[in-house]
Amino acid sequence: MLQSKLKTILLSISVTILAGSLIFYPQESLDASIRGLNMWWEIVFPSLLPFFIVSEMLIGFGVVKFIGVLLEPLMRPLFKVPGVGGFVWAMGMASGFPAGAKFTARLRQEGQLSQIEAERLVSFTNSSNPLFIFGAVSVGFFYNPHLGLTLALAHYLGNICVGLIMRFYGKESPKDSTQLKKKFKIRSAFSALHQTRLKDNRPIGKLLGDAVNSSIQTLLMVGGFIILFSVINKLLYHLHITATLAKSVEFLLSSMSFPEMLSIPFISGLFEITLGSKLTSQVVDATLLQKAMITSFILAFSGFSVQAQVASILAETDIRYKPFFIARIIQGVFASIFTLILWKPVYLRYNSNDRPSNALPVGFFGDGSWVNQLYHQLISIGPLFTILSLLVYVLILYSRLKKQ
């Protein structure tokens, strides 16, 4: 009872301080809001919406169940999750935060995952997408397109390691043991696809409308969190709370021979990955390897902004948030270690003057690469795409309300 009262008091004080800070720092709050809004409608919304809509339709038509049956012999022994986890994993890597959580929650609601399986799956299927790592971080912040390969490899290898560790989380049910021994055939996969489609039984128009409606609702929630944490991060800096928290990690950084100047970007990155990565790239006293290791941790931890988005999505199910949070810390450590391990064989080797003949072409990661071009195209047409999508969303809502 006492703990509950203390929690109430703490939350009330925190919200009051936040409200007062908004009054005392109106211009800084507005600038932070605009920065968060630009990130959402230029990059996040247009890059995630197609994945969300297509994924909802794939689930409705039974294609995900089909893929799950085929991937069961791979996903079950490695990660102790059903084969549908392979679909969530692939879509999570391709589309980025918080797609893995959304698809995991969706499959849990469909009954295709148990609670423990969903908690295992969500822990390693949330990751930064390649567009953000190569386009925003390596090119936009570090002005070093070659750095993206090292950051991406470290990030996704860290994800795999988390998945292998989380397979030991929770107790295996008798159903899981039966699935391990069961052999799957292509005929079983097609049968599962057909039965799932018959069970859903929604017309294509209704299915598409539901997919658009659900996807845009999720992205509106994501946008709210991005703007909110962008403002919070800015206010923490002006209230000198970030600097105070940074003092607590300066000793840890010094023990690893890292410059203390990285402490403030590190703390900022714990709240919001974009600002944290940008501030890390601007530290002059640190070597590129040190900045890359800190950035890898920030990308893997994903920031409280993304974690709040994930927690909001998981709250609609019985999936617990704590395993996901612990997994983010584990992945952050693994990603930093992999950055150190891969630095010489990957980054230095392919960026030295005596590059081997089998090195990847510069154009693949350079300023004219397709990743960089796609990133800048999203920035230019993203706002228009977002506005048109929101108009479609309003029309769908209006037509449904009119029918009621």
Side-chain angles (χ1 to χ4, degrees):
M1 187 67 180
L2 177 62
Q3 185 178 1
S4 178
K5 289 182 178 179
L6 289 175
K7 183 178 179 181
T8 301
I9 294 173
L10 180 61
L11 290 174
S12 301
I13 293 174
S14 300
V15 173
T16 303
I17 293 174
L18 177 60
S21 301
L22 290 172
I23 297 173
F24 280 103
Y25 299 100
Q27 186 60 49
E28 291 81 358
S29 301
L30 177 61
D31 293 340
S33 297
I34 293 173
R35 188 182 71 85
L37 178 63
N38 287 336
M39 173 61 68
W40 177 71
W41 80 337
E42 288 179 354
I43 303 297
V44 175
F45 190 98
S47 62
L48 285 181
L49 182 62
F51 284 99
F52 280 7
I53 294 175
V54 171
S55 298
E56 286 286 340
M57 296 187 70
L58 289 174
I59 293 172
F61 287 135
V63 177
V64 173
K65 189 68 174 178
F66 172 82
I67 296 172
V69 174
L70 293 180
L71 293 181
E72 189 82 18
L74 172 66
M75 299 299 294
R76 184 72 67 178
L78 282 178
F79 306 113
K80 283 190 178 179
V81 296
V84 290
F87 166 81
V88 178
W89 191 19
M91 296 299 286
M93 285 197 298
S95 54
F97 307 116
K102 176 175 171 57
F103 301 144
T104 301
R106 181 76 169 80
L107 293 176
R108 174 61 183 149
Q109 292 168 343
E110 291 277 320
Q112 299 188 43
L113 295 169
S114 68
Q115 181 187 20
I116 295 296
E117 290 170 345
E119 290 170 356
R120 291 173 185 162
L121 183 61
V122 77
S123 66
F124 71 95
T125 54
N126 280 271
S127 58
S128 294
N129 62 30
L131 185 65
F132 180 75
I133 295 176
F134 285 100
V137 178
S138 62
V139 175
F141 298 156
F142 282 90
Y143 302 103
N144 187 345
H146 301 280
L147 183 63
L149 179 61
T150 305
L151 293 176
L153 286 174
H155 190 70
Y156 297 128
L157 286 173
N159 257 338
I160 295 173
C161 290
V162 169
L164 294 174
I165 291 174
M166 290 301 291
R167 74 186 303 273
F168 300 104
Y169 166 77
K171 292 183 179 180
E172 188 177 355
S173 65
K175 177 185 175 182
D176 297 335
S177 302
T178 305
Q179 294 283 1
L180 280 170
K181 299 175 184 178
K182 191 177 177 181
K183 293 183 179 179
F184 295 94
K185 298 180 181 179
I186 190 69
R187 183 180 297 177
S188 302
F190 277 111
S191 176
L193 183 150
H194 182 61
Q195 293 300 323
T196 303
R197 188 188 68 81
L198 292 178
K199 183 180 178 182
D200 190 285
N201 201 31
R202 283 179 292 174
I204 295 178
K206 178 71 165 56
L207 182 61
L208 180 59
D210 290 344
V212 173
N213 191 40
S214 172
S215 300
I216 293 183
Q217 283 182 355
T218 301
L219 287 171
L220 287 172
M221 178 271 296
V222 169
F225 276 114
I226 291 175
I227 295 172
L228 174 63
F229 275 86
S230 179
V231 173
I232 289 176
N233 213 349
K234 192 73 172 180
L235 292 177
L236 289 176
Y237 176 80
H238 284 283
L239 292 172
H240 304 291
I241 296 177
T242 302
T244 303
L245 294 174
K247 292 289 183 182
S248 62
V249 300
E250 284 182 0
F251 176 76
L252 177 63
L253 293 174
S254 299
S255 65
M256 297 186 296
S257 300
F258 279 61
E260 295 180 356
M261 294 293 292
L262 285 170
S263 59
I264 290 181
F266 178 79
I267 294 297
S268 297
L270 294 184
F271 286 90
E272 207 268 318
I273 56 176
T274 307
L275 181 60
S277 301
K278 185 176 182 179
L279 291 176
T280 302
S281 68
Q282 296 171 349
V283 176
V284 180
D285 296 338
T287 64
L288 184 59
L289 173 58
Q290 291 171 337
K291 291 189 285 188
M293 291 178 67
I294 295 295
T295 303
S296 286
F297 186 94
I298 291 172
L299 290 173
F301 185 74
S302 69
F304 293 124
S305 173
V306 172
Q307 293 194 30
Q309 299 167 29
V310 171
S312 178
I313 293 171
L314 298 185
E316 300 176 0
T317 67
D318 58 355
I319 305 173
R320 289 166 291 195
Y321 167 74
K322 185 177 179 181
F324 174 82
F325 176 75
I326 295 174
R328 298 283 59 75
I329 299 175
I330 296 173
Q331 187 186 345
V333 174
F334 271 118
S336 298
I337 294 173
F338 277 122
T339 302
L340 178 62
I341 294 173
L342 297 172
W343 192 253
K344 186 175 181 180
V346 176
Y347 181 79
L348 293 182
R349 184 185 181 197
Y350 292 109
N351 290 280
S352 61
N353 294 328
D354 54 340
R355 264 185 309 196
S357 58
N358 62 343
L360 290 169
V362 176
F364 188 80
F365 301 107
D367 294 334
S369 67
W370 66 270
V371 176
N372 192 33
Q373 290 177 359
L374 179 59
Y375 177 75
H376 285 94
Q377 285 176 0
L378 272 178
I379 292 177
S380 61
I381 67 173
L384 178 61
F385 178 85
T386 302
I387 292 173
L388 292 176
S389 300
L390 292 176
L391 288 175
V392 172
Y393 172 66
V394 171
L395 290 175
I396 292 175
L397 282 182
Y398 176 75
S399 63
R400 291 187 174 185
L401 291 173
K402 194 174 179 180
K403 290 179 181 178
Q404 291 180 353

